[in-house]
Amino acid sequence: MMSKVTIKEPVSEPISLRDALETRYLAYALSTITNRALPDVRDGLKPVHRRILFAMRQLRLDPGQGFKKSARVVGDVIGRYHPHGDQSVYDALVRLSQEFAARYPLVDGQGNFGNVDGDNAAAMRYTEARMTRVAQLLLLDLDQDTVDFQSTYDGEDEEPLVFPAGFPNLLANGSAGIAVGMATSIPPHNVDELLAAADHLIKAREARIDTLLNYVKGPDFPTGGICVDDPESIKAAYASGRGSFRVRARYEVESLARGQWQIVVTEIPYQVQKSRLIERIAELMQAKSLPMLEDIRDESAEDIRLVLEPKNKDIDPAKMMGALFKLTDLEGRIPLNMNVLDAQGVPRVMDLREALVSWLDHRKVVLVRKTRTRLAKLETRLELLDGYLIAYLNLDEVIRIIREEDEPRDDLIKTFKLTLNQAEAILNMRLRALRKLEEMTIRGEHKELTAERAQLKKLLKDDDAQWKLISGDIKQLRKEFGPKTELGKRRTTFDVVTGDENVSLDIFVEKEPVTIICSEKGWVRSAKGHLENGDSLTYKSGDKGKFVLHAQTTDKLVLIASNGRAYTLDAGKLPSARGHGEPVRLMLDIDPSDEIIEVFPYEEARKLLFVSRIGNGFVVCEKELISSRRAGKQILNVKAPDEAAVCVPVNGDMVAVLGENKKLLCFKLDEVPEMNRGKGVRLQRHGDGHLSDARVYFEKEGLSVIDPSGRNRVFSDLQEWHGMRAQAGRIRPKGFPTNGLLGPAFPNRL
């Protein structure tokens, strides 16, 4: 008879969604910070890098050994230590091998591991890898119980929590990572300088940053370049652990025939892709943003060689490069944020001294643990040797006990007061070990190990002796990676900025006369020379001309839109007049519903009268209108249905305002306030009408207008229309334009 099984349903307990999210997200954040994104201050490695190197060590991929397929390494890493995607592990391995990414590569790669152009490495099945000497130093003495191990994710194996780190990898190779709520960014440094500073810290643990900077000059990037930061900003960055370094490309001027020259860039800033840099410069040339540059060529082979050709030989090379530094990635900022995990696994920002001291403290811990491990092995060996010596001194009795007694081990222990290990060792001795020569060898070994044991015990008790040994190791490393070695010599140099980065691009633009054409629908173009008239100009079907004016290629053009905003364009960058031009709305963020009401060349000293459709206005300095933003700059505040209507130069002492109701009002310019931005004041009261036009003129010279027949006419006697600001005015004089427009307000109009 079958028994009835009762299944109990799981009991569910209600939990707040907020509490659940906070708990789970905190766990995720901590996992990301400690197990993925931030390096350990002791060995400068993240878990994925540590597991890659450990797997390579297990595969015996030492520098002197042969290569193995990268796929084999990646397979061991993800199968035994790092349960993540194979591509992410391979990408990490590739970066450890790239000479342009790692200052001191940890992986020696064979095959295509990418290049400075930004090309990706070949698939892992095609490339091979092994460790470098630097990686070997990081793993040195790993089997001497120098660091703690932990179980792997599946519990089948063990992996080190940190490496012994016989190399200051954190600062030497740098690191970068983004965690949850924090990030790290450490540029690479010259290891000889780091070791010199560390050696000084052994003698003066509380040394100031100023003193350490006598050794550590600044970052040392694998791609070289020139650091142009001032010493004070470098000091502030290292003192706080946060800051940035300004790095420029290295270049030289090559002389050519007939007085010509060209710039050759030989080193580019760190982490800048050469191909993307060239594309960016080419884009700027096409957009006419680099008027001094004729061409750029990439003649790079193994070394970088970018050739920059100037427009003409009269350009100053320093000023040309100053403009390129300003506009391109030939100059960049490398951030410094020394946010790392300390020896207790706590993330915090360290300064230069703390980072070096943490590495030194780790080296001391490694030395002490290594010494204790060696001492324990010596004790075990000496115990056996003591047993062997007792056996040699009592050889006949030992042989008798072994031959005659039923329990020789126990009798040996009892007779000669041996330990269990000593008795087992004597019983396991071979007959050939009973030779006199073998006895002499054992006595010699016993003497050496006894002396070594005494030294190790003395070392464990002597703090100064421990630091002396560490200092000796540092000096040996400096010989191996010193400035005279190919890998150790400094690549990034330092220089002082001369101010050439403040060069204006206008000095490179050749000054030539041009005619600016803007159609009613906002298509703009530029014709060479000053046209005598605009009658021969053609426009797109359904469009017609609105503004035709003379300018120079070096001029900035100011566009005023009905939304009250001012926009700026470079006259030398406008499309050619061979076609119909381009819509100005592609160049500037002007809404299709907004109309362009005025275009004129910029004059810094000039003032303008800005008036809205309902008659509000004020005087503004023209320099306030300039803006480098596509969105322009708000000058006249208008609210629908009102809009900006008139912008005219202030050249006089009287203001004439004409309304759509045909009424004219003239009043003193002093009654209009000068503002940088705002709504302004009412200039004329129109009732239900609106403003038609406005001008500023000199009372003694009269108001000049264009009559219906197109002739210029001057009205010198306007006393009858004089009044106060905000009045309605009187019906316009006879001879005034019937279209309500007073003619061109700006000079050089067609």
Side-chain angles (χ1 to χ4, degrees):
M1 182 177 179
M2 295 182 64
S3 60
K4 193 180 231 179
V5 179
T6 303
I7 300 176
K8 293 185 178 180
E9 294 185 2
V11 179
S12 60
E13 296 182 1
I15 185 173
S16 167
L17 177 61
R18 177 172 181 171
D19 292 341
L21 288 176
E22 287 180 351
T23 303
R24 286 157 177 75
Y25 193 74
L26 180 60
Y28 164 74
L30 290 174
S31 173
T32 302
I33 292 169
T34 59
N35 295 321
R36 186 177 302 179
L38 298 189
D40 193 296
V41 69
R42 295 168 289 181
D43 61 6
L45 297 173
K46 301 177 187 178
V48 63
H49 301 137
R50 196 175 295 117
R51 288 162 177 167
I52 288 171
L53 296 179
F54 186 63
M56 295 180 77
R57 182 180 186 272
Q58 298 298 85
L59 290 170
R60 301 185 184 278
L61 295 178
D62 294 326
Q65 304 298 318
F67 293 87
K68 273 190 172 61
K69 288 288 185 182
S70 300
R72 171 70 187 279
V73 177
V74 172
D76 273 22
V77 171
I78 64 176
R80 300 177 64 184
Y81 311 111
H82 198 71
H84 295 274
D86 58 348
Q87 191 58 47
S88 64
V89 174
Y90 182 55
D91 289 343
L93 184 148
V94 165
R95 192 184 183 284
L96 293 179
S97 71
Q98 292 174 332
E99 294 183 353
F100 55 87
R103 180 64 179 84
Y104 302 93
L106 303 180
V107 172
D108 182 9
Q110 185 169 266
N112 176 17
F113 276 83
N115 55 38
V116 74
D117 277 328
D119 297 331
N120 293 327
M124 66 181 81
R125 61 182 178 274
Y126 299 121
T127 61
E128 297 178 335
R130 67 181 177 189
M131 291 189 295
T132 62
R133 168 61 178 160
V134 177
Q136 193 177 41
L137 287 171
L138 288 175
L139 291 156
L140 195 64
D141 298 325
L142 186 63
D143 54 356
Q144 300 295 318
D145 192 30
T146 51
V147 295
D148 292 331
F149 279 68
Q150 66 179 0
S151 297
T152 54
Y153 70 94
D154 58 3
E156 293 184 0
D157 210 336
E158 285 190 332
E159 61 176 327
L161 285 169
V162 67
F163 284 162
F167 185 88
N169 185 63
L170 176 71
L171 292 171
N173 271 324
S175 184
I178 300 175
V180 178
M182 60 180 65
T184 185
S185 181
I186 304 172
H189 293 76
N190 186 274
V191 71
D192 182 68
E193 296 176 2
L194 295 173
L195 292 171
D199 200 22
H200 178 77
L201 282 169
I202 291 176
K203 305 166 189 172
R205 190 178 180 87
E206 299 299 328
R208 297 185 306 167
I209 296 296
D210 308 64
T211 306
L212 295 180
L213 291 183
N214 292 330
Y215 303 99
V216 182
K217 306 299 181 183
D220 187 21
F221 301 104
T223 53
I226 304 172
C227 183
V228 293
D229 267 320
D230 60 274
E232 286 301 317
S233 63
I234 293 177
K235 174 186 172 182
Y238 283 124
S240 63
R242 297 182 187 273
S244 63
F245 301 100
R246 188 172 160 200
V247 182
R248 285 182 170 180
R250 191 184 305 278
Y251 71 92
E252 55 190 35
V253 181
E254 281 190 358
S255 299
L256 304 175
R258 297 186 296 278
Q260 301 293 324
W261 55 271
Q262 63 185 14
I263 296 289
V264 177
V265 177
T266 56
E267 295 175 2
I268 60 177
Y270 184 51
Q271 292 182 331
V272 171
Q273 294 180 3
K274 178 162 61 71
S275 60
R276 185 67 192 99
L277 172 65
I278 295 171
E279 288 175 11
R280 175 60 179 160
I281 293 176
E283 289 170 1
L284 291 173
M285 290 173 61
Q286 191 172 9
K288 300 182 180 180
S289 297
L290 297 174
M292 68 292 193
L293 197 60
E294 177 67 26
D295 190 20
I296 178 172
R297 299 193 310 275
D298 185 8
E299 298 180 355
S300 305
E302 291 184 1
D303 297 328
I304 291 177
R305 180 180 169 86
L306 297 182
V307 179
L308 305 172
E309 290 186 7
K311 281 278 188 184
N312 60 70
K313 64 181 181 180
D314 297 327
I315 295 175
D316 185 349
K319 291 183 178 179
M320 172 177 159
M321 290 305 297
L324 286 168
F325 288 145
K326 185 177 181 180
L327 294 175
T328 70
D329 286 339
L330 286 172
E331 176 180 306
R333 282 204 169 270
I334 309 298
L336 172 72
N337 182 13
M338 291 204 286
N339 189 14
V340 294
L341 300 176
D342 62 17
Q344 288 72 43
V346 178
R348 64 187 182 92
V349 177
M350 295 186 178
D351 60 27
L352 177 63
R353 189 190 66 82
E354 288 177 304
L356 287 172
V357 166
S358 296
W359 177 69
L360 288 172
D361 288 344
H362 178 58
R363 291 301 299 157
K364 185 180 179 183
V365 170
V366 167
L367 175 62
V368 170
R369 292 185 59 158
K370 176 184 174 182
T371 303
R372 286 175 177 164
T373 301
R374 175 60 180 165
L375 187 59
K377 290 181 179 179
L378 286 181
E379 296 285 4
T380 302
R381 180 60 179 168
L382 284 171
E383 179 186 357
L384 298 183
L385 293 179
D386 286 337
Y388 291 149
L389 291 176
I390 291 173
Y392 285 124
L393 290 174
N394 303 277
L395 188 57
D396 293 338
E397 181 63 17
V398 169
I399 294 174
R400 186 194 68 78
I401 292 174
I402 294 175
R403 285 173 58 86
E404 297 178 2
E405 300 297 332
D406 294 335
E407 297 292 339
R409 186 187 67 182
D410 296 337
D411 287 340
L412 286 173
I413 293 173
K414 182 178 180 181
T415 303
F416 301 109
K417 298 181 180 179
L418 302 177
T419 64
L420 180 62
N421 290 335
Q422 290 174 329
E424 290 287 355
I426 292 172
L427 291 174
N428 291 329
M429 287 176 65
R430 294 184 178 182
L431 288 175
R432 71 174 60 180
L434 301 177
R435 295 180 304 155
K436 182 67 175 178
L437 184 61
E438 191 70 24
E439 179 184 354
M440 293 174 61
T441 303
I442 290 176
R443 289 186 182 277
E445 182 184 358
H446 187 277
K447 183 177 179 181
E448 291 177 4
L449 295 185
T450 302
E452 184 181 352
R453 178 176 62 180
Q455 290 178 354
L456 293 181
K457 287 183 176 180
K458 183 179 178 181
L459 177 62
L460 288 175
K461 296 177 181 179
D462 191 343
D463 193 69
D464 292 338
Q466 295 171 17
W467 285 121
K468 187 176 180 180
L469 270 179
I470 294 172
S471 179
D473 292 341
I474 287 175
K475 288 180 173 62
Q476 188 61 38
L477 273 180
R478 292 191 66 186
K479 291 180 182 179
E480 189 173 352
F481 297 96
K484 294 183 180 179
T485 63
E486 185 64 28
L487 186 60
K489 65 181 180 182
R490 173 168 273 281
R491 301 178 185 178
T492 301
T493 58
F494 299 85
D495 201 356
V496 178
V497 176
T498 59
D500 53 7
E501 73 278 6
N502 296 321
V503 171
S504 172
L505 290 177
D506 294 341
I507 67 173
F508 299 111
V509 179
E510 189 174 349
K511 189 174 183 179
E512 295 178 343
V514 289
T515 301
I516 308 300
I517 304 111
C518 183
S519 73
E520 192 173 62
K521 292 187 177 180
W523 285 67
V524 65
R525 49 188 159 150
S526 171
K528 290 186 177 180
H530 285 168
L531 303 180
E532 294 184 3
N533 60 70
D535 296 341
S536 61
L537 295 172
T538 60
Y539 300 90
K540 292 177 71 69
S541 177
D543 200 0
K544 61 181 180 179
K546 186 173 184 180
F547 301 103
V548 181
L549 60 140
H550 292 165
Q552 302 290 330
T553 52
T554 55
D555 285 340
K556 290 186 181 296
L557 297 178
V558 179
L559 285 75
I560 305 298
S562 58
N563 58 8
R565 301 184 76 89
Y567 304 85
T568 308
L569 285 176
D570 289 329
K573 295 181 181 179
L574 295 181
S576 170
R578 292 178 181 176
H580 294 119
E582 294 180 7
V584 73
R585 289 174 176 82
L586 294 179
M587 309 174 193
L588 303 169
D589 293 337
I590 302 177
D591 194 272
S593 62
D594 295 325
E595 180 185 357
I596 299 173
I597 64 171
E598 194 58 81
V599 180
F600 52 87
Y602 169 69
E603 292 183 16
E604 183 177 2
R606 187 165 55 187
K607 295 183 179 181
L608 303 169
L609 177 66
F610 216 155
V611 192
S612 74
R613 181 66 63 196
I614 64 174
N616 292 332
F618 58 89
V619 174
V620 60
C621 292
E622 192 163 330
K623 62 183 180 182
E624 297 296 333
L625 274 59
I626 295 297
S627 172
S628 59
R629 300 172 61 238
R630 284 175 56 95
K633 191 175 182 180
Q634 188 72 47
I635 303 298
L636 181 64
N637 293 338
V638 290
K639 189 176 295 185
D642 192 17
E643 60 183 11
V646 176
C647 183
V648 295
V650 173
N651 186 22
D653 53 12
M654 295 290 292
V655 178
V657 186
L658 181 64
E660 291 179 350
N661 57 5
K662 303 179 182 179
K663 289 186 177 182
L664 175 68
L665 174 65
C666 301
F667 55 88
K668 295 289 185 182
L669 178 64
D670 296 341
E671 297 184 44
V672 183
E674 183 174 324
M675 305 168 61
N676 294 335
R677 173 181 175 177
K679 179 181 177 181
V681 296
R682 182 59 61 92
L683 304 187
Q684 186 181 24
R685 179 166 48 85
H686 302 102
D688 295 333
H690 297 92
L691 177 84
S692 179
D693 209 347
R695 289 292 181 275
V696 179
Y697 68 98
F698 285 103
E699 184 177 4
K700 62 180 181 180
E701 296 178 2
L703 175 62
S704 177
V705 300
I706 303 297
D707 66 12
S709 61
R711 293 174 298 179
N712 186 53
R713 184 173 178 180
V714 178
F715 291 83
S716 56
D717 186 13
L718 293 173
Q719 288 294 330
E720 187 177 345
W721 288 268
H722 282 200
M724 302 292 291
R725 175 185 62 78
Q727 291 181 342
R730 302 184 63 183
I731 295 297
R732 67 192 178 199
K734 290 183 179 180
F736 250 60
T738 56
N739 60 1
L741 301 178
L742 304 178
F746 289 87
N748 301 325
R749 294 298 176 93
L750 297 183

